[in-house]
Amino acid sequence: MPDLLLELLSEEIPARMQWRAAEDLKKLVTDALVERGFLYEGAKAFATPRRLALHVAGLPARGEAVREERRGPRVGAPEAAVQGFLKSAGLDSLAQATTVTDPKKGEFYLAVIERPGRETLDVLAEIIPGIIRSFPWPKSMRWGAASAQPGALRWVRPLQSIVATFGPETETPEVVPFSVEGISAGTTTRGHRFLAPEPFEVRRFDDYVQALERADVILDADRRKDIILHDAKDLAFARGLDLVEDEGLLEEVAGLVERPVVLMGSFEERFLEIPAEAIRATIRANQKCFVLRKSGTEELAPAFLLVSNLVASDGGAAITAGNERVVRARLSDARFFWETDKATKLEDRLPKLDSIVFHEKLGTQGERVARIAGLARRIASAIDFGFDLDLVERAARLAKADLVTEMVGEFPELQGLMGRKYATLQGEDPRVAAAIEEHYKPLGPSDHVPKGIVSVAVALADKLDTLAGFWSINEKPTGSKDPFGLRRAALGVIRLILENELRLPLLDGPIWDAFDELPGKFVVAITLSGDEARDAAALEAEGGGVDPRAKDLLSFLADRLKVYLRDQGARHDLIDAVFALPGQDDLLLVVRRVEALGEFLGSDDGKNLLAGYKRAANILRIEEKKDSRAYDAEPDAALAASGQPEERALAEALAAARREASAAVAAEDFAGAMRALSRLRAPVDAFFEKVTVNADDPALRQNRLLLLNALRAATREVADFSRIEG
């Protein structure tokens, strides 16, 4: 089967764009082929600093012929419908269509469309230019004289050449015949910019990879990463050091070189007085270099590894020396920042926070710190009433102070961490120092979750203030857009509560407190509609109640909890079933109830009871609609007792199960509540097998419908079974 080789050679592509661009190229080309009926065996895309490449294996040499029958309007239909049919089918007149008779619908027109198979080479020549012209670069540019013309080609950097060949392994492939902005597809490419700049010919993918290797270009980014990592570890080991691995930096550096060469540089021991994190940030951010540790320890060594794109004639001595000069200069700056910052206490920096705007509608960082401090006290009191709240407030007051330090100003990624170091140096309580660093956590699904009460209280306050603030100004996430990281903040709240097993009713607790801490000047008037508008009107009329924005924020947290639990293997419908009950704002209890419900529904008793519930609910829905009334009263126990044995047994079982389930839920024994419901399986099955619900006697019929409602009410002690799928 023939293969496609496509290479787009340009000036240097930013490393951060390469992987996405390679995947976009593969998707765009393969989707266009499949859309036209051309299937393939496999495809792989590659990226280096100067090129995007694509190999599509196992394409047919020619597409298959297509025969399609397209049904048109009825005979005698309006002219507009007929003309629309002719246009869509590609016919000139109705004489080219046939007439078919349908026994039910009468006569209608039918077009038989036959398209001969097309040469794959022609299809490729048709689709690739359009893909190149509309390629979705995050940023792109025009260049040269043609850039002044409307519709000029845009590319991430000036495009220099295109290789596009198609053909089987056993034959010389053909060039795909197309051109873009005067650049014609061909078989000529170039290797390394400095080590092998001369053009050379390539034909098929295997030859292409080998030719690039000879021209000092390693096409596969994963192989470049392996070479860098292997050589870095070997070089460090040879000097008695350990590499501090950094996957993100490794990914970036692999996108900066086509022929990686690892070299070692050094700096003076005196710079090790700087915190290790600052040294690493300095060397990483400014020089894209790896730091090293003294073997078997966590102590940094006065050395670093750089990755060159050259095999230098002097063994890399000049390259290393140049990097060492820059690293020394940067470390000198970092040392100056460190010494300057240590001279001023964190609390003395707090007034500067009043000059930093957090958000134009939510005030300054100073105002936000005041809110977080008040909220953290409330949260800590709810977690442990006897805890030292002044300690929590102290941590909250100092939590953002390092934002105005020199070190964090230069390296924002060190916020929190540097604050902890400065707090420790000035003699703050270790719990306060820890909270300054940890209040940002967790930053993601796998990040560390703080455990100390001071850290947890300040972390929750920080995230809930963010959420309540942006909810108050109606800046909520929409679709895939979340510019303020509110989904991450919500996940942080969830993980802090669940992984610390905190009992925190949110709606009448931290969420309400977070909105309460917001001054009125930060709350923007929002137009509410539907239920929210009615809730707001009732709230204003009664002079109390729950702010609809707080309820909406709780709903948002519930949605994020579904995502979190789904990742843990829980079913989203069970979460819906639990949250549908009133007052479910204690996330820890929600999770425990969901876990118990999941185990119950995984048993035979649970599955059968759910089936019985669904049957009862369907009957009730039909009869309530037919009778224009709700059967929501209590059944007549005496009437049930005088009925059939199965009817009497179900009434007794329902009364007992409801009492036991209610008591178990009140005691937070959700497994016990499920056991109480499980005893309903047999009487429910027997009732549906032996008893006719829609009896001729109206009183008997009504009481049996009320029994079904009692079943519905019993299950609502633990969850809303109507939300459960299956």
Side-chain angles (χ1 to χ4, degrees):
M1 297 282 282
D3 293 355
L4 167 68
L5 167 63
L6 176 63
E7 182 203 66
L8 304 169
L9 183 71
S10 68
E11 296 293 334
E12 275 68 11
I13 306 168
R16 68 183 183 278
M17 298 184 188
Q18 290 171 21
W19 179 84
R20 179 74 265 167
E23 292 302 306
D24 284 341
L25 180 62
K26 180 174 76 172
K27 186 177 189 305
L28 290 168
V29 172
T30 55
D31 284 359
L33 287 167
V34 171
E35 186 180 314
R36 290 161 174 78
F38 290 82
L39 303 182
Y40 58 96
E41 294 177 358
K44 188 170 183 180
F46 305 88
T48 79
R50 298 181 63 211
R51 70 200 76 226
L52 295 181
L54 174 66
H55 176 225
V56 182
L59 279 167
R62 184 183 180 86
E64 296 182 358
V66 175
R67 185 180 188 278
E68 175 189 354
E69 291 186 354
R70 183 170 302 178
R71 181 168 175 167
R74 290 180 292 103
V75 174
E79 183 63 20
V82 171
Q83 292 301 319
F85 163 62
L86 293 176
K87 183 177 180 181
S88 66
L91 304 181
D92 295 326
S93 67
L94 287 176
Q96 295 174 298
T98 58
T99 303
V100 179
T101 301
D102 186 311
K104 295 181 179 179
K105 298 183 179 180
E107 291 187 322
F108 61 89
Y109 297 112
L110 184 73
V112 178
I113 305 169
E114 294 185 350
R115 298 190 184 94
R118 297 180 61 194
E119 295 289 339
T120 307
L121 196 69
D122 295 337
V123 173
L124 291 170
E126 174 186 291
I127 64 176
I128 295 176
I131 290 171
I132 294 173
R133 289 184 177 279
S134 60
F135 200 79
W137 291 108
K139 291 184 178 180
S140 58
M141 62 180 291
R142 297 177 295 178
W143 63 93
S147 64
Q149 303 302 318
L153 174 66
R154 301 187 68 93
W155 201 247
V156 62
R157 296 291 185 271
L159 188 63
Q160 295 178 334
S161 67
I162 301 171
V163 171
T165 66
F166 177 74
E169 295 180 3
T170 55
E171 301 174 12
T172 301
E174 297 181 70
V175 173
V176 181
F178 70 88
S179 65
V180 178
E181 293 293 318
I183 303 173
S184 297
T187 58
T188 302
T189 188
R190 295 175 184 269
H192 193 284
R193 180 186 292 277
F194 305 111
L195 301 177
E198 296 302 318
F200 56 89
E201 297 290 316
V202 294
R203 289 292 177 181
R204 55 180 57 84
F205 180 70
D206 291 341
D207 300 337
Y208 171 70
V209 174
Q210 294 172 16
L212 285 180
E213 292 269 356
R214 292 191 296 271
D216 288 294
V217 175
I218 296 168
L219 181 65
D220 191 339
D222 288 336
R223 187 158 166 249
R224 296 198 300 274
K225 287 169 59 177
D226 289 342
I227 291 171
I228 294 168
L229 187 59
H230 181 271
D231 289 354
K233 287 182 175 179
D234 284 353
L235 187 53
F237 179 77
R239 304 290 178 88
L241 303 173
D242 293 333
L243 173 69
V244 178
E245 296 190 34
D246 187 330
E247 181 61 31
L249 179 58
L250 179 62
E251 186 82 32
E252 183 176 7
V253 171
L256 297 174
V257 296
E258 291 190 319
R259 172 69 169 86
V261 178
V262 181
L263 303 170
M264 181 178 290
S266 63
F267 54 87
E268 290 81 356
E269 288 264 1
R270 59 189 173 89
F271 290 121
L272 294 179
E273 299 171 4
I274 308 169
E277 296 83 1
I279 293 175
R280 184 176 178 181
T282 300
I283 293 176
R284 184 190 196 278
N286 293 302
Q287 288 304 103
K288 312 302 180 189
C289 294
F290 298 87
V291 296
L292 299 164
R293 284 195 299 258
K294 295 177 181 178
S295 184
T297 73
E298 293 299 315
E299 185 181 352
L300 287 190
F304 61 92
L305 294 177
L306 62 106
V307 182
S308 169
N309 195 30
L310 283 175
V311 180
S313 58
D314 63 354
I319 295 172
T320 302
N323 277 268
E324 287 176 339
R325 284 194 299 273
V326 177
V327 165
R328 288 190 192 103
R330 297 299 187 186
L331 289 177
S332 294
D333 290 343
R335 188 181 184 190
F336 172 78
F337 297 152
W338 170 242
E339 296 297 336
T340 302
D341 289 341
K342 287 193 299 180
T344 305
K345 287 189 173 183
L346 289 175
E347 59 191 310
D348 294 336
R349 297 181 181 276
L350 294 180
K352 289 186 177 180
L353 293 176
D354 292 328
S355 63
I356 300 176
V357 175
F358 170 65
H359 186 281
E360 62 179 352
K361 296 179 182 178
L362 293 174
T364 66
Q365 283 286 7
E367 291 170 308
R368 183 163 183 261
V369 164
R371 299 198 301 269
I372 292 172
L375 183 55
R377 286 184 70 99
R378 294 185 178 192
I379 292 172
S381 179
I383 295 173
D384 183 348
F385 183 74
F387 194 79
D388 184 352
L389 301 185
D390 290 339
L391 197 68
V392 175
E393 182 171 350
R394 176 70 174 175
R397 292 282 179 188
L398 299 181
K400 305 294 183 183
D402 67 345
L403 294 178
V404 291
T405 62
E406 299 287 345
M407 190 70 82
V408 174
E410 182 71 14
F411 303 109
E413 66 271 25
L414 297 181
Q415 63 184 10
L417 188 146
M418 295 311 301
R420 180 175 190 164
K421 291 188 179 296
Y422 297 138
T424 301
L425 284 173
Q426 70 184 40
E428 294 291 341
D429 187 294
R431 291 168 292 180
V432 170
I436 292 173
E437 178 183 4
E438 294 180 332
H439 83 280
Y440 290 106
K441 297 181 178 294
L443 293 174
S446 59
D447 193 23
H448 160 74
V449 172
K451 298 299 180 185
I453 186 171
V454 180
S455 296
V456 170
V458 180
L460 279 171
D462 179 51
K463 293 166 179 57
L464 286 170
D465 175 77
T466 298
L467 290 165
F470 283 105
W471 247 250
S472 289
I473 62 173
N474 205 27
E475 290 281 359
K476 298 181 284 188
T478 57
S480 60
K481 294 183 179 179
D482 185 13
F484 304 111
L486 302 183
R487 292 188 180 94
R488 184 178 64 190
L491 177 59
V493 170
I494 290 166
R495 291 190 62 204
L496 283 162
I497 291 173
L498 298 185
E499 296 184 33
N500 284 292
E501 298 188 343
L502 300 180
R503 296 296 311 280
L504 280 176
L506 292 175
L507 203 55
D508 195 27
I511 288 181
W512 170 262
D513 293 340
F515 280 96
D516 190 45
E517 289 287 342
L518 286 166
K521 66 177 182 177
F522 293 154
V523 181
V524 178
I526 302 171
T527 302
L528 301 176
S529 60
D531 292 339
E532 280 193 344
R534 286 189 290 274
D535 287 348
L539 183 65
E540 185 175 351
E542 296 169 10
V546 179
D547 189 322
R549 296 176 184 83
K551 292 173 66 177
D552 187 52
L553 178 53
L554 179 64
S555 176
F556 177 73
L557 285 168
D559 288 340
R560 303 320 298 165
L561 179 63
K562 292 176 197 176
V563 175
Y564 174 79
L565 292 181
R566 189 164 60 238
D567 291 341
Q568 309 294 318
R571 288 167 45 182
H572 68 86
D573 57 328
L574 303 190
I575 306 167
D576 284 339
V578 172
F579 264 113
L581 300 181
Q584 299 306 308
D585 65 342
D586 187 325
L587 301 188
L588 187 62
L589 286 191
V590 167
V591 171
R592 289 176 178 172
R593 195 183 289 232
V594 168
E595 290 171 349
L597 184 59
E599 290 181 10
F600 174 59
L601 293 175
S603 68
D604 288 341
D605 284 345
K607 292 173 184 175
N608 286 325
L609 180 61
L610 178 61
Y613 168 86
K614 296 285 187 184
R615 185 174 178 183
N618 286 336
I619 292 172
L620 280 169
R621 184 171 59 253
I622 293 169
E623 299 306 314
E624 286 176 338
K625 183 178 180 181
K626 182 168 61 178
D627 298 344
S628 299
R629 58 161 294 187
Y631 289 96
D632 53 3
E634 291 295 324
D636 186 330
L639 189 57
S642 65
Q644 294 177 228
E646 294 81 9
E647 189 174 357
R648 183 168 60 252
L650 178 59
E652 293 171 354
L654 282 169
R658 193 168 181 181
R659 282 195 308 272
E660 291 178 31
S662 179
V665 168
E668 299 177 6
D669 177 13
F670 302 115
M674 302 303 166
R675 285 194 298 273
L677 291 184
S678 70
R679 300 188 188 103
L680 291 173
R681 174 191 172 180
V684 167
D685 289 348
F687 178 85
F688 280 122
E689 183 178 347
K690 299 292 186 179
V691 177
T692 301
V693 175
N694 285 318
D696 293 333
D697 183 342
L700 203 56
R701 171 180 176 271
Q702 173 177 297
N703 205 52
R704 288 171 178 174
L705 289 172
L706 292 175
L707 272 177
L708 296 186
N709 179 67
L711 171 61
R712 183 165 60 182
T715 59
R716 282 188 66 85
E717 294 292 337
V718 295
D720 183 350
F721 274 43
S722 69
R723 303 294 185 97
I724 300 174
E725 298 174 358

